[in-house]
Amino acid sequence: LVIVPQIDRSTSNWQPDASCKILVCGRETCREEAATELANCLESLANRMAQQKEEEEEIVEEEPAQAAPVRRAPPPKAAVAVEEDAERWRRTTGPSNPLEELRKLKFWPKDNKSWGALQEQVWRGHPPLLPGWIRVWSRAKDQECFVNMSSGETTFDFKTAAG
């Protein structure tokens, strides 16, 4: 099977909800069998998703209606300062969660240059790497990977990239 995303080529952003074309390769008899099995799987998945949606709608209908939100005056300046201090503390404590940070971006970096530009944002607070090395996220292995920008070498071994 080959899955080809059908995306707008004018944008380089990763689109997780883009439609895809599925190509079934191989001998004629194998392709027909695989296509039939794939169609059955997709139909089963669609049925399960529809059933889940119905169940969720039933739950929503059972919940009591909530009152309209009350308009409130803006918080006092002291409260704003406390919130800013809390945000500053969150930014400076402990290493970031790279996958969570990537989800916040709402796009997937397209190349090593893009990954290089996001190092401080995505891997804030993580141990430093040797000069020329960057971190990227491997979707195939669902983990951090290291790339040497000069040689193109890639590794999952932190010690290689950090020295």
Side-chain angles (χ1 to χ4, degrees):
L1 295 177
V2 178
I3 301 175
V4 182
Q6 302 295 300
I7 60 172
D8 177 5
R9 298 283 182 216
S10 66
T11 178
S12 61
N13 294 345
W14 174 59
Q15 299 170 343
D17 57 348
S19 61
C20 293
K21 182 189 297 184
I22 301 174
L23 306 174
V24 181
C25 304
R27 292 183 310 224
E28 187 68 33
T29 55
C30 294
R31 285 197 322 251
E32 290 172 2
E33 243 177 71
T36 302
E37 189 173 331
L38 180 60
N40 291 339
C41 287
L42 291 173
E43 183 179 349
S44 173
L45 178 62
N47 290 339
R48 276 188 270 154
M49 290 174 67
Q51 184 180 3
Q52 276 184 329
K53 186 175 181 181
E54 287 174 11
E55 289 171 1
E56 288 171 1
E57 287 172 354
E58 287 174 11
I59 291 170
V60 169
E61 288 174 5
E62 292 172 8
E63 292 178 1
Q66 296 180 353
V70 177
R71 289 188 166 234
R72 300 176 193 267
K77 288 185 179 183
V80 171
V82 168
E83 183 57 32
E84 288 172 351
D85 286 345
E87 178 60 29
R88 194 175 307 112
W89 179 82
R90 282 191 288 272
R91 283 193 309 249
T92 59
T93 57
S96 64
N97 177 334
L99 199 50
E100 186 177 297
E101 295 298 321
L102 286 165
R103 286 187 182 123
K104 287 180 192 174
L105 292 176
K106 300 192 189 274
F107 70 91
W108 198 261
K110 63 178 180 169
D111 54 25
N112 289 343
K113 185 177 178 182
S114 301
W115 281 109
L118 294 169
Q119 295 298 291
E120 290 299 318
Q121 181 178 354
V122 176
W123 282 278
R124 182 186 66 253
H126 287 248
L129 302 176
L130 291 172
W133 285 88
I134 63 167
R135 292 174 166 93
V136 301
W137 192 264
S138 167
R139 289 189 283 180
K141 298 217 180 216
D142 197 30
Q143 71 180 58
E144 184 177 67
C145 179
F146 307 95
V147 177
N148 184 304
M149 295 291 279
S150 301
S151 67
E153 176 187 358
T154 61
T155 182
F156 289 94
D157 181 34
F158 174 75
K159 291 180 183 177
T160 301

